Amino acid sequence: MKVKQSMIGLHPYQPGKPMDEVKRELGLDEVIKLASNENPYGASPEVAKAVNEAIAQVAVYPDGYARLLRQKVAEQQNVKEEQLIFGNGSDEVILILCRAILSAGDNIVTAVPTFPQYKHNAVIEGTEVKEVPLADGVHDLEAMYAEIDERTKIVFVCNPNNPSGTYVNEQAFTAFMEKVPEDVLVVSDEAYFEYVRAEDYPSTIPLLDKYKNLMILRTFSKAYGLASLRVGYGIGHEEFIQAVEPGREPFNTNSVAQAAAIAAIDDTEFLNGCVQQNAEEMIKFEHFCKENNFPYFPSEANFILMSVNRPGGEVFDKLLHAGFIVRNGEALGFPEYVRITLGTPAQNDKIRAELLSWLK
């Protein structure tokens, strides 16, 4: 049996190590996972109630159109219901877009380093990937525009960017959209949108009225704390969404996930509390880096990419043996860095103290 040529040499996405596995391997009683950009405060208490009610109907297929969730998101984002497409996480929406648009002979333009699934899905479709290095950790939109040619079908802009946490500001993004050809799709992946503090971050949804080639991705996995349930969505021009919908699997978002997302949207107080706590903890981490002359990238997400002036693999291994799971920057394109998800105040205090104790 043979798979298609484009699959050869590809590797599945590698998430952070599971806590139970680390405990077992290293004989640790306590492990703190700060590797996958999950919400350390969990999900709204209302989510548990909604999940319990939805489980009662577990034998019934979910609503493939996600009608109730669609209505809720459309109201929240002030868009038409027909402008939405839902996925098993926003990464499935990326897969659907690549499946619907890309073919052999096409190309995409993306930054590097950035979220790897853009490249991964494009390669599977036999599509060329044009990677443009970040400029000081930020998408270099001028250089990305220069790579667009007659074979370019999609440009991916991860904003804020994973793994750097940096962002493209409104002026740069709108200037970019103004120049991109109308037949090239621009995907603004805004998985960390709720955490953004910058006042000049792009307000992309209003741009949909002007640019039919713009697609916005959002997710419930991060700030809403629904990572295990896998539900995300895309917002685009109505005609385009209807054109790519056939690439979506029939029941791709399950009933429990849909119910949980609806409950999470309604509990704005919980969400706002998580976002505020994240902002306060980010300030502490930034001060920590400045006080100790540790290089870092200013982040608009719920993680920080930082260095303690040691190889990322060495820092990762040291923290792992101390009971902290982070992401090794060597695997993310930043060999002297580690990416640390912001945890609770107590967890953040512990990992900072561990780093200082080790270095001294």
Side-chain angles (χ1 to χ4, degrees):
M1 301 296 290
K2 293 183 179 181
V3 299
K4 58 185 180 181
Q5 188 68 27
S6 61
M7 294 282 289
I8 298 174
L10 285 181
H11 301 284
Y13 180 78
Q14 297 295 321
K17 292 175 72 70
M19 289 185 287
D20 288 342
E21 181 180 329
V22 173
K23 288 180 180 179
R24 185 172 59 253
E25 288 180 357
L26 301 180
L28 298 172
D29 294 325
E30 180 186 17
V31 170
I32 297 173
K33 184 185 178 188
L34 302 174
S36 299
N37 307 336
E38 297 144 336
N39 186 341
Y41 310 106
S44 161
E46 298 303 314
V47 166
K49 300 176 185 176
V51 166
N52 285 333
E53 292 178 6
I55 285 177
Q57 299 296 320
V58 71
V60 180
Y61 279 113
D63 175 5
Y65 192 63
R67 186 172 301 279
L68 295 180
L69 177 58
R70 183 179 298 271
Q71 292 171 351
K72 181 68 68 173
V73 172
E75 180 182 359
Q76 180 197 42
Q77 301 298 342
N78 194 28
V79 298
K80 297 178 181 178
E81 294 178 23
E82 295 79 12
Q83 289 182 262
L84 298 170
I85 184 170
F86 289 87
N88 188 32
S90 58
D91 47 359
E92 193 200 16
V93 181
I94 296 168
L95 183 153
I96 293 169
L97 292 173
C98 291
R99 181 183 188 182
I101 296 173
L102 300 179
S103 302
D106 297 333
N107 69 57
I108 69 164
V109 178
T110 182
V112 62
T114 192
F115 186 52
Q117 294 306 103
Y118 313 140
K119 178 179 181 178
H120 185 88
N121 285 296
V123 168
I124 290 174
E125 300 301 330
T127 299
E128 178 190 3
V129 179
K130 292 187 173 185
E131 297 179 295
V132 178
L134 300 174
D136 297 323
V138 181
H139 281 58
D140 187 344
L141 293 188
E142 287 293 330
M144 293 175 71
Y145 173 72
E147 290 295 327
I148 296 174
D149 60 27
E150 67 279 358
R151 297 189 299 114
T152 303
K153 293 298 178 65
I154 307 177
V155 178
F156 287 99
V157 180
C158 189
N159 200 25
N161 186 46
N162 178 13
S164 61
T166 54
Y167 75 104
V168 172
N169 65 36
E170 185 166 18
Q171 180 180 359
F173 187 79
T174 53
F176 179 70
M177 288 300 307
E178 194 66 30
K179 295 189 296 184
V180 173
E182 293 180 356
D183 61 345
V184 175
L185 178 68
V186 177
V187 178
S188 181
D189 187 349
E190 302 174 3
Y192 301 93
F193 169 81
E194 290 81 8
Y195 289 116
V196 173
R197 299 169 291 166
E199 294 183 357
D200 60 346
Y201 181 80
S203 180
T204 48
I205 291 179
L207 296 179
L208 291 169
D209 292 332
K210 184 175 182 181
Y211 302 107
K212 294 184 178 181
N213 60 329
L214 175 62
M215 182 81 172
I216 301 160
L217 304 184
R218 301 277 176 86
T219 183
F220 289 93
S221 295
K222 307 303 180 183
Y224 285 101
L226 305 185
S228 70
L229 294 179
R230 314 303 303 124
V231 57
Y233 60 96
I235 314 172
H237 193 268
E238 182 177 346
E239 292 179 7
F240 176 70
I241 294 296
Q242 302 313 307
V244 299
E245 266 281 353
R248 180 181 61 79
E249 295 299 319
F251 304 108
N252 62 330
T253 56
N254 67 75
S255 300
V256 173
Q258 291 179 31
I262 291 170
I265 288 176
D266 283 338
D267 194 348
T268 55
E269 182 178 354
F270 179 84
L271 176 67
N272 293 338
C274 293
V275 170
Q276 179 60 35
Q277 190 70 69
N278 184 81
E280 294 173 4
E281 291 304 302
M282 183 64 74
I283 291 172
K284 293 179 186 178
F285 251 110
E286 291 172 343
H287 287 168
F288 171 74
C289 290
K290 292 174 182 177
E291 290 172 358
N292 293 282
N293 295 314
F294 295 152
Y296 74 99
F297 288 91
S299 175
E300 293 295 327
N302 67 334
F303 58 84
I304 187 167
L305 185 67
M306 59 171 289
S307 172
V308 296
N309 302 309
R310 300 282 187 90
E314 179 184 354
V315 180
F316 168 82
D317 190 63
K318 174 62 183 176
L319 289 173
L320 189 66
H321 282 78
F324 298 94
I325 308 174
V326 299
R327 287 303 296 270
N328 180 358
E330 293 176 354
L332 301 174
F334 292 90
E336 299 297 319
Y337 287 73
V338 289
R339 192 192 69 190
I340 302 175
T341 302
L342 303 194
T344 64
Q347 291 172 338
N348 296 332
D349 287 344
K350 284 184 179 181
I351 194 170
R352 289 192 292 261
E354 181 64 34
L355 285 169
L356 289 181
S357 176
W358 171 50
L359 294 170
K360 291 178 180 179

